Structures are given as structure tokens and as C-alpha cells.
Amino acid sequence: MKKKIGLILLTLILAAGLLAGCGQQSTGDEGNAADNGSGKAAARSLEDIKKDGKIRIGVFSDKNPFGYVDANGEVQGYDVYFAKRIAKDLLGSEDAVEFVYVEAASRVEYLQSGKVDITLANFTVTDERKEQVDFALPYMKVALGVVSPESKLITDVSQLKGRTLIVVKGTTAETYFSENHPEINLLKFDEYQEAYDALLDGRGDAFSTDNTEVLAWAINNKGFKVGIESLGATDAIAPAVQKGNTALLNWLNEEIKTLGKEQFFHADYEKTLKPVYGNSADPESLVVEGGEM
């Protein structure tokens, strides 16, 4: 009799668990986007964001001077300056932005899973990425650069044959060298700080990423120099939203056009990039106004 009662109780517990599971809805980190079981989740609409009073924007936390956390624990940089203006114009206050730190390889996933509404993490537009996310108009242009120790300066890609080049996973540098230079050994890291630490430690002969980034790093790190200042095509950097989030995409495009009329991105450059680059970079080679390359 006891055994029979035990079996009945076990059956009831299992049934309750199944019913509870059917009634749950898997969401993103903030609980606003329902997962459809494939790792993707519905994006928040423009109206959803307005009702919430907060916009979640993905930025880097370790890529100075574009997105980084300063000594006081505050997030700063070129992308951050833009993100705050988006929050102000959309929601009435710079404080209405919630920064979500992303890595290069997670930028697409964070959009697809609804963890962020917009990605501003120095996101280069590529055909492959266009299939996964929707890009707004560009606000910067960039090519690849290579930084190495001055004592063993790399000035041509041919010098890297059979040697080790450091790259960050999910970047255009990884794609470019994987596709065009299989003769070069790639040492890959998830985070920029890990990559720079590897270069400082001598675990690689050079490091490649956006030329704007390596130039800034070399200025602040004695003994290193950008020997290859421009490699590959000149690409566009643009905000991205989840594919199909048309209302938010259209709002962003209009915002970029409007900001171009006041030369906003030149002001952004003066505030966040010029203190780093000084006279070593021409803003006209980097800044894009009004979405026009």
C-alpha cells in the first residue's frame, strides 16, 4: 500500500513539473525578450524602449579610446559618447542608457538574444554580419593596422610568414588573416586586454586589429609602433540592431543624419579621440558625418 501511494505521489510531482515547465517563458538577461528555443529572442520595439525609459546599448569595456572603463570605474570613449546622445534624444536623458559590456565575438549574439537593443562596439560592417543583424548608417571608417615591438618592427605582411600574429576572436582581423594569409600562425583571444598582454609578454610577434585602435595603444606604450598603418579595405563602422527591428533602425538612421548637420561626430572625436591621438591622426580619415562615407 505504501509503495502504491509513493508511486502516485511521484507521478503527481512529475506531472506538476511538466506543467510548470510548459508555463515558463525563457527570457533575456533583463526579462524583456522571449527566447524561441534557438538562442534568438524577439527584440524590444521602439515603443517598448520608450515605455521602459531605458535603452540597452552594447559597448566594449577594454577598447580604449572607443569603449573602456576608466580609473574611476566610469565607461568612456567614442562609442560611449554617441550612446549617451542616443539616450538623450530618444528618452530625454543621457542617464537613460544602460551599458552592456560585450566582447568582439559576442556582438551578434547579444543582439539576437535580446540582451541589447543596439550594439555600438566598434562594429565593422561586413557582408557576413549583414545576414545576421541590421546595420544603420556609418559613423566612422577604419582599416586594419599591425603593431609590433620597435626593436623587431613588422612593416610588411610578408615578414609575418611562419611567425605568430595575435588577433581577437570575432574581429575583421581574424577573418582577413584567416582567409588571405594561412602561412601566418594566429594566436587568438576573446578579449582585447588579453591580446595586448600577450603582445607585451612576447607571446606573439605582432597584433592586428583596427588601425585606430593599435595607433592609440602604441602612443601609450613605449617601445611599440604601428609598422603597418592600413591593410585591407577601408570599412564602415556602424550601429547594429536585431535583424527586422525596422522602427529602431529607421530612428537610428534619422538620428545619424540629424547629428551630421551639427557635426556631432567631429565633436565626439575632439572630446574622446584627439586627447589620445594628438596630431598623429587626421579626423577626416576616421570620422563620418550624416552617414555618408
Side-chain angles (χ1 to χ4, degrees), residues 30-287:
E30 310 335 305
N32 291 315
D35 194 326
N36 63 13
S38 65
K40 296 183 179 181
R44 296 199 305 166
S45 69
L46 187 62
E47 288 306 311
D48 289 336
I49 294 167
K50 289 179 178 179
K51 287 177 183 177
D52 182 41
K54 284 279 185 181
I55 184 164
R56 300 194 299 267
I57 298 181
V59 296
F60 285 125
S61 63
D62 62 349
K63 194 170 183 180
N64 188 351
F66 299 99
Y68 66 100
V69 178
D70 66 17
N72 297 316
E74 297 293 327
V75 62
Q76 306 283 359
Y78 187 78
D79 291 338
V80 173
Y81 190 92
F82 180 25
K84 289 180 178 180
R85 180 60 183 267
I86 288 173
K88 181 180 179 180
D89 290 348
L90 180 61
L91 300 171
S93 171
E94 289 186 352
D95 296 330
V97 60
E98 180 181 324
F99 291 109
V100 179
Y101 299 144
V102 300
E103 295 174 0
S106 70
R107 288 174 294 191
V108 169
E109 185 271 320
Y110 270 45
L111 283 170
Q112 292 180 332
S113 62
K115 293 176 182 176
V116 298
D117 303 307
I118 300 171
T119 290
L120 282 183
N122 218 227
F123 211 3
T124 305
V125 179
T126 67
D127 289 337
E128 181 182 0
R129 289 170 179 168
K130 283 180 182 178
E131 294 178 0
Q132 300 173 300
V133 301
D134 284 338
F135 284 101
L137 294 170
Y139 62 97
M140 195 170 75
K141 50 192 172 184
V142 70
L144 294 177
V146 178
V147 61
S148 54
E150 284 187 284
S151 59
K152 298 179 181 179
L153 190 64
I154 300 296
T155 58
D156 190 270
V157 174
S158 62
Q159 295 173 264
L160 287 167
K161 183 178 181 180
R163 300 171 80 174
T164 299
L165 176 68
I166 299 164
V167 296
V168 173
K169 296 175 186 176
T171 62
T172 50
E174 180 192 18
T175 302
Y176 176 83
F177 282 99
S178 295
E179 293 179 351
N180 298 289
H181 295 284
E183 75 280 7
I184 298 173
N185 302 316
L186 299 183
L187 178 58
K188 304 178 183 182
F189 292 94
D190 291 317
E191 299 180 2
Y192 281 91
Q193 191 56 57
E194 292 176 326
Y196 283 121
D197 287 344
L199 182 62
L200 289 167
D201 294 344
R203 283 176 277 162
D205 298 288
F207 172 53
S208 180
T209 188
D210 294 348
N211 54 4
T212 49
E213 162 71 10
V214 290
L215 176 60
W217 188 84
I219 289 171
N220 291 314
N221 288 270
K222 189 176 180 180
F224 291 86
K225 187 176 179 179
V226 179
I228 303 176
E229 294 186 359
S230 184
L231 186 64
T234 297
D235 295 315
I237 300 289
V241 302
Q242 189 182 108
K243 201 153 193 66
N245 197 353
T246 307
L248 181 57
L249 180 67
N250 291 342
W251 185 91
L252 267 175
N253 284 334
E254 289 304 314
E255 173 77 347
I256 290 169
K257 291 176 185 177
T258 300
L259 292 177
K261 295 175 183 177
E262 65 178 71
Q263 296 290 289
F264 170 82
F265 292 103
H266 279 81
D268 191 349
Y269 179 96
E270 290 291 319
K271 178 73 174 180
T272 63
L273 302 186
K274 189 173 182 179
V276 176
Y277 294 137
N279 296 321
S280 62
D282 178 9
E284 301 309 317
S285 68
L286 303 175
V287 175

